[in-house]
Each structure stands twice: as C-alpha cells, then as structure tokens.
Amino acid sequence: MQTSPRRRLATVGALAATSLMLCAGPAFAHVGVDPEEAEQGGYSVVNFKVPNERDDAATTKVEVSLPTDHPLSSVMPQPVPGWDVKITKSELDKPIEVHGEKITEAVTKVTWSGGKIKPGEFQQFPVSMGQLPEDADQFVFKALQTYDDKQVVRWIEEPKEGQPEPESPAPVLKLTPATGDAHGNGADSKDDDGKNAGDGAEKTSTDTGSAAAGSAEDGGSDSTARVLGAIGIVIGVAGVAFGVLAGRRRTP
C-alpha cells in the first residue's frame, strides 16, 4: 500500500516539529527568577528556579551571588526541606544607611547544599530581599550549579537587550517604578487646598460610617423582602395543592 502525499507531509512536519523542540529545549533549562519583576525601592520574595538540565547527574549545590554595587540591607532565605543554607556576608566599601541605621556589611552570596535535584526535576529556592535599588532598572544575579559528578555550570552571562540570549544567562530581576506612596501621609500634612489631611481622613471615616448604616438598612429591607417572598411561595404551593385536590373530587 502506498502512502498518500498528505500523510507523508504530515509525518515530515511532525518530525521537523519534534526536532525543533529538542533543539530549543536546553535554551530554557537555565536558572531563573520568579517573579521576573519587582518594584524599585521595595521588598520582594524572589524564587530562584533551578532545573536539572542533565539526564545522567543530579544537582547537589546552588550558589547565588548578589550584586555588590547595590548592596541589600535584608536578605532572608526561606528554609527548603532537605537543603542546608549558608549566608556569606562581606564588608562594604561604602556603608549604606537604611531607616536611619548605618549598614557596614551586606549579604553577597547564598549557598544551598545537601539536597538533590534529580534529572527531569527542578527546585525553587525562595529569598526575601530588599530594599531594592531605586536607581536601577534591573538586578543581575550570578548563579553556580554543581552536579554530583563535580561538573559546575556557571550562569553568569548578563543578557543584553536587543541581542541573542547568551549560552549561560544569569538570572535577572527587572525593576519597575513604584506604583504606590511608600511614605504615606501624616496628620499634619497639607493637601492642595491647604487643609489638614487629617480632616479628609475624618470625613472619610464619617462617610464610611454613613455607608455602613445604609448597608445595614438595606440588609434589613432585603431580609423583609425574603420573608415576604417565602410566605408568598408557601401560599402559592398551598393553592396549587388545593386546586389538584378539588379537581380530583370533581372527577367521576
């Protein structure tokens, strides 16, 4: 039996698609961060996603280096079952001030070891960090992934916008402008009309109380309507039953 041209074309297309997927697969098997964005000047929990890109070895150690040009005042890794975590701190060339406190050293590396990421699996390593820089649009980490056969994969190449992704890209956290007012307004602050912000807060509280009272009244009206509706349904059912019984009585 001869194979039809349509079937041969479908077979060739399937083989080509499979080959493309196999070739493209390794490009996505690198260390990354989740989420990929955070707000400038804020705090964020960053998950370092580490996939095992090999089928003949397991990952046994992960090292993530933090940028030293923008030191963070707070770095707290979340415990990961089966893994030991080590924090490395270094003296800063120039102390930084956070919330009125002078910081002379900062975390420069976090290392996880003792566990295993088996072939075909990945592991997330969450880290709470901040205060993220306000004068940068990205935060580039450098990661080292060690396998149980002593091979070390260095994810340290910084991706460049408009250029192809490097062979071993470093994890990058994009920083976006803050959307909220991080400082808030005090009771003595003034609005555009020169009035105290506290007056507006008091008015808001009063309006909220009025709205709550209105909601309570509406709730009472709704309850009454439900009761009356239920009574109407009961009366209707009783009427239907009475009609059925009356019809049966008139039937010879």
Side-chain angles (χ1 to χ4, degrees), residues 19-20 31-32 42 51 58 64 84 101 105 107 109 118 121 131 158 184 187-188 193 210 232 252:
S19 300
L20 182 61
V31 177
V64 174
D84 299 321
E101 182 180 355
E105 65 175 10
V107 175
K109 185 167 68 173
K118 299 178 181 178
E121 299 180 350
Q131 186 174 359
E158 182 177 346
D188 295 332
D193 297 329
S210 299

Side-chain angles (χ1 to χ4, degrees), residues 151-222:
Q151 181 193 10
V152 178
V153 181
R154 303 168 65 85
W155 305 102
I156 60 174
E157 299 180 61
E158 182 177 346
K160 301 293 184 180
E161 187 175 356
Q163 297 183 10
E165 184 179 69
E167 183 177 353
S168 302
V172 176
L173 178 67
K174 296 187 180 300
L175 301 178
T176 59
T179 56
D181 184 3
H183 302 289
N185 294 320
D188 295 332
S189 60
K190 304 289 185 179
D191 58 17
D192 294 337
D193 297 329
K195 297 179 181 180
N196 286 330
D199 296 340
E202 182 178 354
K203 182 178 183 300
T204 302
S205 176
T206 303
D207 293 343
T208 305
S210 299
S215 298
E217 292 176 0
D218 293 341
S221 300
D222 291 342

Side-chain angles (χ1 to χ4, degrees), residues 235-252:
I235 294 175
V237 172
V240 171
F242 178 78
V244 171
L245 292 175
R248 289 181 178 177
R249 290 177 182 176
R250 288 196 299 267
T251 303

Side-chain angles (χ1 to χ4, degrees), residues 15-249:
L15 290 174
T18 302
S19 300
L20 182 61
M21 291 176 65
L22 290 175
C23 293
F28 294 96
H30 55 72
V31 177
V33 292
D34 182 32
E36 297 180 347
E37 294 184 357
E39 289 189 355
Q40 296 172 338
Y43 290 76
S44 180
V45 175
V46 178
N47 292 288
F48 291 93
K49 297 180 64 175
V50 183
N52 191 327
E53 60 175 4
R54 295 182 52 183
D55 56 7
D56 59 350
T59 297
T60 56
K61 185 167 72 171
V62 176
E63 302 169 77
V64 174
S65 296
L66 282 67
T68 56
D69 54 344
H70 290 98
L72 301 177
S73 60
S74 175
V75 177
M76 295 186 295
Q78 178 177 324
V80 178
W83 293 81
D84 299 321
V85 61
K86 177 183 177 183
I87 300 292
T88 301
K89 293 185 178 182
S90 302
E91 292 289 334
L92 299 177
D93 295 334
K94 182 180 179 180
I96 59 175
E97 187 170 331
V98 180
H99 303 303
E101 182 180 355
K102 184 173 291 187
I103 307 296
T104 59
E105 65 175 10
V107 175
T108 54
K109 185 167 68 173
V110 183
T111 303
W112 292 270
S113 61
K116 277 191 176 183
I117 307 175
K118 299 178 181 178
E121 299 180 350
F122 78 96
Q123 179 66 56
Q124 294 194 90
F125 299 94
V127 179
S128 173
M129 59 180 64
Q131 186 174 359
L132 298 172
E134 299 179 349
D135 57 349
D137 57 4
Q138 66 179 15
F139 215 54
V140 181
F141 305 92
K142 293 184 178 181
L144 301 183
Q145 181 177 8
T146 303
Y147 288 87
D148 55 9
D149 61 357
K150 306 305 180 183
Q151 181 193 10
V152 178
V153 181
R154 303 168 65 85
W155 305 102
I156 60 174
E157 299 180 61
E158 182 177 346
K160 301 293 184 180
E161 187 175 356
Q163 297 183 10
E165 184 179 69
E167 183 177 353
S168 302
V172 176
L173 178 67
K174 296 187 180 300
L175 301 178
T176 59
T179 56
D181 184 3
H183 302 289
N185 294 320
D188 295 332
S189 60
K190 304 289 185 179
D191 58 17
D192 294 337
D193 297 329
K195 297 179 181 180
N196 286 330
D199 296 340
E202 182 178 354
K203 182 178 183 300
T204 302
S205 176
T206 303
D207 293 343
T208 305
S210 299
S215 298
E217 292 176 0
D218 293 341
S221 300
D222 291 342
S223 299
T224 303
R226 291 192 186 98
V227 173
L228 293 177
I231 293 175
I233 293 173
V234 172
I235 294 175
V237 172
V240 171
F242 178 78
V244 171
L245 292 175
R248 289 181 178 177
R249 290 177 182 176

